[in-house]
Amino acid sequence: MHIHLSDSLSGRQETRDYEAEISFDTFDDGRSSYPVVEKQPVRLRITKIGEKRLSLLAEVSFCLSMPCDRCLEPVTVPFSYEVSREADFGEEAREEEQAYIEGYVLDVDVLIRDELFVHMPMKILCREDCRGICNRCGANLNHGDCGCDRTEPDPRMAAIRDIFRDANR
């Protein structure tokens, strides 16, 4: 959604409140796309803090469907955060790059997406004790044991295994 900021800059009213719908249905982080499964309107407060300067405060709440890092099952991950920015439209400050503002128009979706990169979790698990997938057959071990032999031999014993293998030939 786009919000025209010229009214806030030229008017005498100090603060304006808006509700803006999140218009994107997927979030793409450059590696994967995650569907938005639930979203609430963004509550946005724009306050005039000086000549050609605005304070932007947005309250964001939505959920993405993301795969579990161990078993790859979809997990609904909630996001709720505040975005606080200052926009300066003075002559000196116009050279600063603000991707979420073009001219005097605020793109709420770009503002939310930029901040979402900071709030992405490091690890996503469907549950704390997720067992993951079998490294042999790919079965989800949370649904039960697959029966594969998953024992990994100790690499320090490789020389001794080679001696026994050679002796049995």
Side-chain angles (χ1 to χ4, degrees), residues 20-168:
E21 294 295 325
I22 299 173
S23 62
F24 59 89
D25 293 322
T26 60
F27 172 69
D28 187 5
D29 69 356
R31 297 177 311 204
S32 299
S33 278
Y34 308 109
V36 178
V37 293
E38 182 182 322
K39 53 186 168 181
Q40 296 177 359
V42 176
R43 293 186 1 213
L44 185 66
R45 175 166 279 184
I46 300 174
T47 306
K48 186 174 183 179
I49 57 174
E51 190 66 29
K52 297 192 177 191
R53 289 184 56 220
L54 297 175
S55 169
L56 310 171
L57 180 64
E59 294 177 12
V60 183
S61 183
F62 61 95
C63 297
L64 296 179
S65 178
M66 304 175 87
C68 174
D69 285 334
R70 292 184 187 160
C71 70
L72 303 178
E73 290 289 322
V75 178
T76 299
V77 181
F79 291 89
S80 184
Y81 55 88
E82 282 188 356
V83 180
S84 179
R85 297 277 189 276
E86 282 191 16
D88 191 347
F89 294 92
E91 301 231 354
E92 299 165 7
R94 294 300 293 159
E95 296 177 16
E96 266 186 52
E97 191 64 33
Q98 297 174 349
Y100 52 91
I101 295 177
E102 187 171 323
Y104 290 101
V105 177
L106 168 67
D107 189 336
V108 177
D109 287 341
V110 174
L111 179 68
I112 293 168
R113 285 182 179 177
D114 285 353
E115 192 70 19
L116 181 55
F117 282 105
V118 176
H119 288 87
M120 291 292 281
M122 295 298 284
K123 186 174 247 357
I124 299 162
L125 297 176
C126 59
R127 60 185 199 212
E128 284 297 316
D129 62 341
C130 177
R131 296 180 60 208
I133 59 174
C134 174
N135 60 2
R136 300 259 190 248
C137 69
N140 187 337
L141 298 174
N142 293 318
H143 301 304
D145 196 24
C146 62
C148 292
D149 180 19
R150 291 186 299 277
T151 58
E152 293 291 327
D154 189 344
R156 297 172 294 183
M157 301 300 287
I160 294 173
R161 276 194 309 277
D162 292 344
I163 292 170
F164 283 113
R165 187 181 61 233
D166 293 341
N168 289 333

